[in-house]
Amino acid sequence: KKAAAAAKPKSKGTRAPTPGFELIGKRVSIRWTGDPGKPWYSGKIVEYNVSTEQHLVLYDDGDQKVHHLEREESVKQLKWL
């Protein structure tokens, strides 16, 4: 399991690094600030890209989008379900 630990992104400052593959299957709600009313949309994390450190979220309505979850969380646009 040492290889899995090495695959984690490096910590930035004092924040803990965002887990990568460990989040696949987890549910999130992300606020879409570009939509009128800034609604929250819920979905499931289905993929992780190591090189970009981004996750693909498959939303409950069938839409999908790639997100940098650490960035979304830092601006309070992400909730863990």
Side-chain angles (χ1 to χ4, degrees):
K1 300 286 180 187
K2 288 183 181 178
K8 286 183 181 179
K10 293 180 181 178
S11 179
K12 296 174 181 138
T14 58
R15 288 183 53 95
T18 300
F21 294 104
E22 299 89 353
L23 294 180
I24 293 175
K26 303 283 185 192
R27 291 193 47 80
V28 293
S29 186
I30 296 180
R31 190 172 193 187
W32 285 41
T33 57
D35 284 1
K38 301 179 181 177
W40 291 87
Y41 292 101
S42 297
K44 182 177 177 180
I45 300 168
V46 295
E47 289 181 16
Y48 176 65
N49 183 315
V50 176
S51 62
T52 65
E53 297 183 1
Q54 293 182 327
H55 293 83
L56 177 64
V57 176
L58 176 61
Y59 289 94
D60 296 344
D61 65 2
D63 199 3
Q64 57 184 357
K65 186 175 177 188
V66 174
H67 292 277
H68 190 284
L69 297 181
E70 183 176 12
R71 190 173 307 135
E72 300 285 357
E73 192 170 34
S74 71
V75 294
K76 302 190 184 331
Q77 305 292 10
L78 179 141
K79 295 179 189 175
W80 298 98
L81 303 178

